[in-house]
Each structure stands twice: as structure tokens, then as C-alpha cells.
Amino acid sequence: MRALRQVQAVVPAGIDDPALPSGGNAYDRRVLDGLQAQGWTVTEHLVPGSWPRPDAAAMAGLAAVVASVPTGSVLLVDGIVASAAEAVLVPAADRLRLVVLVHLPLGVSHPEATEGRVLRAATGVVTTSGWTREMLLDAYALAPGGVHVARPGVDAALPASGSPDGGRLLCVAAVTAQKGHADLVAALALVADLPWSCVLVGALTREPDAVDTVRRRLASSGLVERVHLRGALVGAELDRAYAAADLLVLPSRLETYGMVVTEALAHGVPALATDVGGVREALGEAGGGLPGLLVPAGSPEALAVALRSWLTDPGLRGRLRRHALARRDTLSSWGETARHVSVLLERVGNR
């Protein structure tokens, strides 16, 4: 008889690499640890490879892992792996209880991914936002009852003190084209007449061309002394960056949720972000208004207008800070996220 509350988890090999921080890796780690804290026996399988574009060796490694999982087990697979693993996972779904954790619907940006067929074969699907759930339902005609939302949690933090002029700007995102750093630099150039400084926190190794573009544009705009590329930060260092900030700026072209938004709000720091994907869901509303500002993606001009409003209007800064502090009190914990996943895994395991 199959033991209850046991799960086999397949995640990318870099999940715990401090040089490769990402929302997906952080989510996976916190959920797996949270499941263990709630009494689950979690067997982790870290699969190397350039997912979602694995080579033959990576696929062979995944196939060996899946073959080793006992029949009838609950198998939780990170979506970045699952999206490219139809040949392995769809046949295995006949003997395993397959659950796929989708951070980003990769079938949209990677047409070669076979995500839809994998998700249709799965017993259950976990998404990290309501926006992602709706996208998957529309894209792949999945049964609504099998697709569940477990939004990211956040750690409690002390409120940031904030500076009187609001000029300490922070962007937390790996420097890639999709994260919109070039748009941010262009917007900052449009408000160069105002006092501010900006810290860019995020990996500088993912897309070297995007990093070079940002550096060149900073130089040509005369902003090198005001915009600081700090690289990836984790743990206490990242916490200190939020604590020192007045405003989080997230200029992404796509976000399925935007964990950095809730991390900033946990410190009472408002967010200026592009209104894409699940960002509005992450931002939320409290205290009678949004704890930040939303602008269209891909528009440095709109971003600059919002920055100018923030930097020149003390009343606006005060309102957004009050809303951010109110939203801080409504944020959910990682324990709650793990509980949502646990409920689905129990349901799947008892079928």
C-alpha cells in the first residue's frame, strides 16, 4: 500500500545556487521545505540541464530519475523541466500521479516546448498566480478543477524608514531583455534633472548582451555615477537593499506574479511596476488604494512620468507609503503557500 504524504520532487539542479537566484528557484525551495515542515516526506531529484532547452544528456538524466520513482508515487515536477519533457513525462503519467508546478507558461515564448500535452496528462497543476491559471486554461483547454493557485508567500520584515525625498530607487531583477532594464535606464535619463540614485540588484550572467546594453546606455546618458549594478544578492544582503529603498521599480515586459513586489511591500516599500501578467495581483490593494503605481510595459516615457510624480509629489509618496504599510499587514506567508500545495498533493495522492 502506498504511503501517504510522500512526494517525489523534480527541480532544476541550480535551485540552491546563490549565484543563480530566481523567483522560481526561491519558490521551489520554500515550498519543498514547507511541505517537510508540514509532515511530508520529500525526496528531491535535482536534474542538470539547460531547461527548457535540454540536450540529450539532460533528457536521459531526467528519464532515469523518473524511471526510478516507484509506481503510484506523487511526482511534483517544476514547470521549466516539465515543459520540455513530453517524451518522458506523458508516458510516466500512466503509472505516476503527476503534478506540474508552473511558474511561467513557457509554451508561449518557447514554441518548441510541449507544455500543453504534459499539462493535459498531469493529474494536477499548480500555478503561482491567478493570471497564470487563466492563461493555461485558455491556452491548453485544461479542466479548471485540476489547475490550482498557490501564490508565493513572503517573509515578515521591519518597515523601511524611507527618506524625505524618496530618491532611493531599487530594481530587483536579473539583467535580461525581458526584465526591461533598458527601458528603466531610458526613463531615468528623462528624470536626470531630479535628485535620485538607483541600485540594480540581479544576476549579471544570464544575458551578457543585455548587461552590455545597459552599461552602454548608462555611459551615454551620463548616469554611471547614479545607477549601481550590484549583481545578485540573497538573504541578509537583499533584505538590507529593500530596507534602504524608498521605491521598488520593476519595468518587466512579463511577470507571472512578481515576487519582488511583495518582498518590497513586506518592508512597507511601494512599487512602481509595469502592468503585466500577475503584477497587479501581487501589488494588491489595501488602505483604500494601490500601494504603488502601474504603467504600460515598453514605455520609458510612461515610466519617467510616474517617476517624476513620485519624486516631486510628497503627498503622493505619503499616500503610497501608507497603502504599502497597510498591504504589508495582509501579505501571506510561505507556510500558507505550502499548505495550498499540500492540499492539492493530498487530493492527488488519495485518488
Side-chain angles (χ1 to χ4, degrees):
M1 182 176 179
R2 184 183 56 81
L4 297 177
R5 295 181 73 81
Q6 293 189 2
V7 60
Q8 307 268 339
V10 173
V11 294
I15 179 176
D16 295 316
D17 187 345
L20 297 172
S22 71
N25 284 344
Y27 185 103
D28 287 356
R29 172 49 58 214
R30 298 303 292 267
V31 164
L32 295 181
D33 289 350
L35 289 173
Q36 287 186 313
Q38 293 175 31
W40 284 81
T41 298
V42 179
T43 303
E44 296 184 18
H45 303 278
L46 277 61
V47 292
S50 299
W51 306 97
R53 293 184 173 128
D55 58 18
M59 287 296 289
L62 174 65
V65 164
V66 173
S68 73
V69 175
T71 296
S73 298
V74 176
L75 179 65
L76 177 65
V77 184
D78 182 279
I80 197 172
V81 175
S83 67
E86 176 193 9
V88 174
L89 294 178
V90 171
D94 289 336
R95 68 177 190 86
L96 302 173
R97 292 166 168 83
L98 175 63
V99 178
V100 179
L101 171 53
V102 179
H103 302 286
L104 172 66
L106 290 169
V108 176
S109 55
H110 296 275
E112 71 275 21
T114 53
E115 182 175 64
R117 290 188 286 275
V118 174
L119 297 182
R120 284 191 289 271
T123 308
V125 177
V126 178
T127 70
T128 59
S129 68
W131 176 87
T132 304
R133 179 180 186 273
E134 292 304 314
M135 173 172 275
L136 294 180
L137 293 178
D138 291 344
Y140 302 130
L142 303 178
V147 186
H148 304 264
V149 179
R151 294 178 182 85
V154 68
D155 292 322
L158 294 174
S161 57
S163 66
D165 63 5
R168 301 182 305 198
L169 310 178
L170 172 68
C171 177
V172 181
V175 181
T176 66
Q178 182 172 280
K179 293 297 185 179
H181 291 83
D183 293 336
L184 175 56
V185 173
L188 291 173
L190 294 173
V191 294
D193 57 301
L194 298 173
W196 53 263
S197 64
C198 184
V199 175
L200 306 184
V201 170
L204 303 175
T205 56
R206 302 278 181 84
E207 294 182 14
D209 288 346
V211 176
D212 289 343
T213 296
V214 169
R215 292 189 188 279
R216 287 197 306 271
R217 293 190 180 183
L218 287 174
S220 64
S221 302
L223 300 178
V224 171
E225 300 299 321
R226 303 178 68 182
V227 180
H228 310 283
L229 280 75
R230 293 285 307 278
L233 299 179
V234 296
E237 284 189 307
L238 179 58
D239 190 67
R240 284 192 290 271
Y242 282 120
D246 292 313
L247 179 71
L248 176 79
V249 186
L250 186 66
S252 301
R253 301 299 181 94
L254 177 64
E255 291 284 348
T256 53
Y257 185 72
M259 286 170 52
V260 298
V261 171
T262 52
E263 288 172 1
L265 292 171
H267 291 79
V269 174
L272 164 55
T274 45
D275 193 4
V276 295
V279 168
R280 186 179 289 268
E281 192 175 339
L283 190 62
E285 185 171 339
L290 293 175
L293 301 169
L294 293 169
V295 298
S299 175
E301 295 78 13
L303 194 58
V305 168
L307 283 169
R308 187 171 293 276
S309 295
W310 167 266
L311 292 167
T312 61
D313 187 342
L316 174 65
R317 293 197 297 274
R319 287 194 301 276
L320 295 186
R321 283 169 169 161
R322 288 193 295 273
H323 296 328
L325 288 171
R327 175 72 171 118
R328 173 177 173 269
D329 293 334
T330 70
L331 297 171
S332 60
S333 69
W334 281 109
E336 185 173 340
T337 306
R339 282 191 289 275
H340 283 297
V341 177
S342 176
V343 167
L344 172 60
L345 295 181
E346 282 194 338
R347 188 179 306 164
V348 167
N350 288 323
R351 284 185 179 180

